[in-house]
Amino acid sequence: MIQKQNWIMGLWKFSEKISIDKLAEVAKKWSEEDFNYLQLYIRKVGKEQRGIGFTYEIPKNHDPNVSYKDYFDRNSEYLKRCFGNDLAGWDIAISAYIIK
């Protein structure tokens, strides 16, 4: 098991009213603008929700806590502007234990 303290991992959750195509547009935009994403994917996350899942690598020599706050603030504001109340929530953490 490897602890990764320089990764931010999680899900941005949306109402199922938001199409998979629209979520894919957001994920594609992020992947083209920021090369620190290790993975981006879309999946069902609840009875009436879909999510954009991600693994984001914090650049070397950056404070993980500051980077986490910057990442969260930047993306939550962007998603709130784009989707309003259809941004249903998030589940994001800065530390992960990788098994495989």
Side-chain angles (χ1 to χ4, degrees):
M1 179 168 43
I2 301 169
Q3 183 179 17
K4 299 296 279 187
Q5 294 182 344
N6 63 330
W7 284 6
I8 303 169
M9 297 181 77
L11 286 163
W12 294 102
K13 301 176 185 183
F14 303 87
S15 164
E16 201 169 44
K17 293 186 288 185
I18 306 300
S19 72
I20 291 172
D21 289 339
K22 184 63 180 169
L23 296 178
E25 284 178 30
V26 171
K28 184 173 168 62
K29 178 180 183 296
W30 285 348
S31 72
E32 291 170 348
E33 292 177 354
D34 191 337
F35 298 111
N36 293 316
Y37 280 100
L38 301 176
Q39 65 175 309
L40 283 157
Y41 58 91
I42 297 165
R43 72 175 181 90
K44 189 159 183 65
V45 296
K47 185 177 179 183
E48 297 179 3
Q49 294 179 347
R50 293 186 177 113
I52 298 175
F54 67 91
T55 302
Y56 184 88
E57 187 169 35
I58 297 169
K60 288 182 169 67
N61 301 320
H62 283 88
D63 180 301
N65 293 314
V66 171
S67 294
Y68 173 84
K69 182 178 179 347
D70 290 346
Y71 176 87
F72 180 82
D73 291 346
R74 177 179 69 246
N75 288 298
S76 63
E77 288 304 314
Y78 171 75
L79 294 171
K80 287 174 189 174
R81 283 193 313 274
C82 288
F83 300 105
N85 290 336
D86 288 324
L87 172 62
W90 47 82
D91 181 356
I92 300 173
I94 195 169
S95 181
Y97 294 87
I98 307 304
I99 306 303
K100 180 178 178 182

